Amino acid sequence: MRVAVLAAEAVPYSKTGGLADVAGALPKALRQVGVDSLLITPLYRQTKENLIEHLAIDDLWVVWRGQNYKTQVYYSEANGSPTFLIHAPEMFFRDSIYGYREDYERFAFFNHAAIVLLRRIGNAPDIVQLNDWHCGFAAIEIAKLRRWDSYWHNTRTVFSIHNMAYQGAFGTEELWKLGFGDDFSRNAFSTGGAASALKAGLADSDMLSTVSRRYSYEIQMAENGYGLDWLLRQRSDRLIGITNGVDYDVWNPETDSDLPAHFNAQDLSGKRMCKRSLLQKFFLPENLDKPIFASITRLTSQKGFELIRQTVGEILATGAYFIALGSGERESEDFLQKLKNYAPQQVGIYIGYNETLAHQIEAGADVFLMPSRFEPCGLNQMYSLRYGTVPIVRAVGGLDDTVENFDRVSSTGNGFKFREFSADKFLEKIYEALFTYYEPETWRKIQWNGMMTDNSWENAARKYVQLYNMTRS
Ligand code: ADP
């Protein structure tokens, strides 16, 4: 089976969030279970040059808005699978990956170029896996091509939802300029008076998946459906949830090259060294017996940061440390800065994006906070589990599927979980975690349960293969 994965961001070439982790790891995992997979993604200014292996195609001509655009395609296997990076400087060589008024146009171009590329490579894929709104355009283009072009006749599309909150909305008057002026396309894109690339992907892909089982149900309800829950209910027989895996080649405390010391479930002495080094990094006193509470996140309302804001004072009142790495909404960034000024001996902050530090915090912290409002899958809680850092999460989406609340009687569970979106409920779990932290044997058991949890990509890749087989039959 040949599978082409299209994604707007993919590790190690580019990343703003979990989508990149998944898009980078899935093609590799698919190869490991015998699928002939490849990845197509844009080449950004942010892509490190040393990742590129060679120029694969010097002249990929893409007809765009009535003109012929010459693009180039670079090749790499840095993520463990053949990867084609589309080089269209005007579109992708910019200061950031997203955030431009014409993002819809940039990704429509990417989709179109990817389809031209797939044709040029020859040997049409059996499955094209499309990820999030950035790839909704390709769902329609392939659906249309399939009708008259025998090359695409047997190609099927799977659309994977990583986050329903991002819709790729734009004015319907743009549709014809992008080549989607026909009735079929207009119907697919139109919703609530606008065009939505997400809607198009959901409406006309052959199969739909999302990144956890729980989220696959949540998005069928108005609260999390962003006006498209009706469509997901309508297509629920085509929608399945597959929980993301963790790339243990990248996130493994036994081998992680970003860490000052290594450790595993049997021997946690290296974790203590990581904790010491983390405190040093933030110029905090080296009191190793006090727990470090940590947060690594995009500072958006999705992540429930307001619950951290409402409870962090209580955390600090117990003498614990709080370390945060994140960037996003100005108000939350300002809050962190004020918190640091208020308790400089207990608080460490880094406003911005820092991959190495993310690894070091996962390794050195004791408790990881993730009180999300909604969370399609969430990766940080799974990284925490592997790094012996006990997660406190809200029971939504993938957090609910991957974290089991610790039960003192049976000694089962790998973290702490609360349901209601409230500071009181969150605080209850924070206190429970603190109390347990000071019972070393019990804490060790929770860490053990977390570190032994298998969230490897292999399981997930096999489920994708089943999904692809269903899509083809
Ligand atoms: P989302 O995709 O919604 O941001 P996930 O938990 O699925 O959330 O994935 C987030 C990914 O982005 C993780 O790999 C996390 O470590 C990383 N990340 C988020 N913010 C930062 C940051 N400021 N610096 C480094 N890594 C970050």
Side-chain angles (χ1 to χ4, degrees):
M1 179 154 49
R2 283 185 308 282
V3 177
V5 178
L6 267 59
E9 53 180 285
V11 163
Y13 313 105
S14 56
K15 172 166 168 177
T16 70
L19 168 62
D21 288 313
V22 177
L26 176 63
K28 174 172 69 175
L30 288 172
R31 286 193 96 73
Q32 282 162 357
V33 296
V35 174
D36 181 6
S37 63
L38 61 84
L39 170 68
I40 306 179
T41 191
L43 181 71
Y44 297 104
R45 181 174 286 151
Q46 292 77 0
T47 309
K48 292 200 180 85
E49 255 175 53
N50 63 1
L51 294 174
I52 294 167
E53 281 160 35
H54 60 261
L55 179 66
I57 300 175
D58 188 32
D59 58 344
L60 187 77
W61 289 99
V62 180
V63 178
W64 186 243
R65 287 180 168 244
Q67 286 183 5
N68 249 331
Y69 269 91
K70 185 179 165 190
T71 58
Q72 293 175 310
V73 181
Y74 286 88
Y75 184 83
S76 174
E77 290 190 7
N79 68 321
S81 82
T83 298
F84 295 91
L85 296 131
I86 299 207
H87 184 41
E90 213 179 303
M91 298 284 179
F92 305 120
F93 258 53
R94 301 189 179 193
D95 290 342
S96 55
I97 295 176
Y98 313 117
Y100 301 95
R101 198 196 52 79
E102 67 284 14
D103 276 356
Y104 67 94
E105 190 183 344
R106 298 169 63 224
F107 291 103
F109 178 87
F110 163 62
N111 284 210
H112 186 51
I115 287 170
V116 175
L117 172 65
L118 284 170
R119 177 135 211 162
R120 173 89 166 248
I121 294 172
N123 220 352
D126 300 298
I127 300 285
V128 178
Q129 179 165 342
L130 306 165
N131 295 283
D132 270 354
W133 75 261
H134 325 96
C135 300
F137 307 92
I140 304 303
E141 200 168 330
I142 293 173
K144 287 199 292 186
L145 280 170
R146 218 158 53 189
R147 292 183 191 161
W148 58 269
D149 185 344
S150 60
Y151 181 80
W152 296 101
H153 203 73
N154 293 318
T155 299
R156 297 286 172 271
T157 50
V158 170
F159 188 86
S160 295
I161 306 159
H162 299 258
N163 199 331
M164 283 291 289
Y166 300 99
Q167 305 244 337
F170 53 96
T172 46
E173 70 283 0
E174 297 292 309
L175 281 170
W176 69 271
K177 296 184 209 158
L178 302 178
F180 296 112
D182 56 290
D183 283 351
F184 170 74
S185 305
R186 294 188 77 81
N187 274 340
F189 279 95
S190 296
T191 174
S196 154
L198 176 67
K199 155 96 192 314
L202 298 180
D204 283 294
S205 298
D206 295 299
M207 275 294 221
L208 308 175
S209 74
T210 186
V211 289
S212 69
R213 203 176 46 89
R214 174 84 197 257
Y215 194 61
S216 75
Y217 301 128
E218 288 173 349
I219 55 180
Q220 294 181 48
M221 294 184 271
E223 200 189 341
N224 286 303
Y226 295 87
L228 296 174
D229 41 298
W230 63 272
L231 180 55
L232 291 164
R233 285 195 301 276
Q234 209 175 69
R235 302 206 69 199
S236 60
D237 60 328
R238 311 241 112 203
L239 168 66
I240 70 160
I242 302 177
T243 304
N244 287 332
V246 170
D247 188 343
Y248 289 129
D249 291 341
V250 180
W251 292 93
N252 178 356
E254 282 186 285
T255 53
D256 191 331
S257 59
D258 289 325
L259 305 187
H262 294 119
F263 55 93
N264 57 32
Q266 283 76 27
D267 179 3
L268 283 171
S269 51
K271 185 167 172 73
R272 217 171 152 76
M273 288 160 77
C274 291
K275 181 169 179 177
R276 184 188 298 281
S277 152
L278 185 63
L279 291 171
Q280 285 168 354
K281 207 169 191 95
F282 283 100
F283 303 105
L284 294 168
E286 287 171 45
N287 189 344
L288 293 187
D289 295 331
K290 296 277 183 200
I292 301 178
F293 285 73
S295 163
I296 302 171
T297 187
R298 292 183 296 117
L299 296 166
T300 64
S301 70
Q302 169 188 344
K303 300 296 179 179
F305 195 71
E306 68 202 73
L307 292 191
I308 294 185
R309 283 163 61 164
Q310 288 166 33
T311 51
V312 69
E314 315 288 336
I315 293 175
L316 296 178
T318 68
Y321 294 105
F322 175 70
I323 290 181
L325 161 62
S327 64
E329 285 163 8
R330 184 66 196 272
E331 207 190 329
S332 302
E333 292 185 355
D334 290 349
F335 173 83
L336 284 174
Q337 194 57 58
K338 280 193 199 126
L339 192 69
K340 172 75 191 162
N341 299 342
Y342 164 75
Q345 300 287 305
Q346 284 173 278
V347 175
I349 61 162
Y350 183 105
I351 309 279
Y353 190 88
N354 188 325
E355 192 80 35
T356 303
L357 189 56
H359 285 248
Q360 292 166 344
I361 293 176
E362 284 291 4
D366 297 291
V367 181
F368 195 88
L369 302 175
M370 224 163 152
S372 304
R373 270 182 191 282
F374 68 94
E375 195 61 72
C377 178
L379 293 168
N380 271 317
Q381 82 281 12
M382 293 197 270
Y383 301 154
S384 300
L385 291 173
R386 182 48 63 110
Y387 283 66
T389 302
V390 176
I392 303 183
V393 305
R394 182 156 173 254
V396 285
L399 297 175
D400 199 22
D401 287 355
T402 56
V403 175
E404 189 193 342
N405 194 58
F406 184 69
D407 183 282
R408 282 183 165 267
V409 178
S410 60
S411 277
T412 54
N414 52 16
F416 296 96
K417 196 156 76 169
F418 66 104
R419 214 156 274 279
E420 189 187 307
F421 190 83
S422 86
D424 286 348
K425 296 293 175 203
F426 186 33
L427 201 54
E428 270 176 25
K429 288 295 165 186
I430 289 171
Y431 284 138
E432 199 178 328
L434 261 170
F435 184 81
T436 317
Y437 176 80
Y438 288 110
E439 283 179 352
E441 268 179 39
T442 316
W443 193 254
R444 189 73 188 74
K445 179 66 186 156
I446 306 179
Q447 287 179 305
W448 174 269
N449 291 349
M451 295 178 90
M452 300 311 278
T453 305
D454 179 10
N455 287 314
S456 63
W457 260 110
E458 193 184 324
N459 284 335
R462 289 191 195 288
K463 289 187 186 148
Y464 275 103
V465 172
Q466 282 172 6
L467 168 67
Y468 299 150
N469 283 327
M470 275 157 63
T471 309
R472 290 167 74 196
S473 61

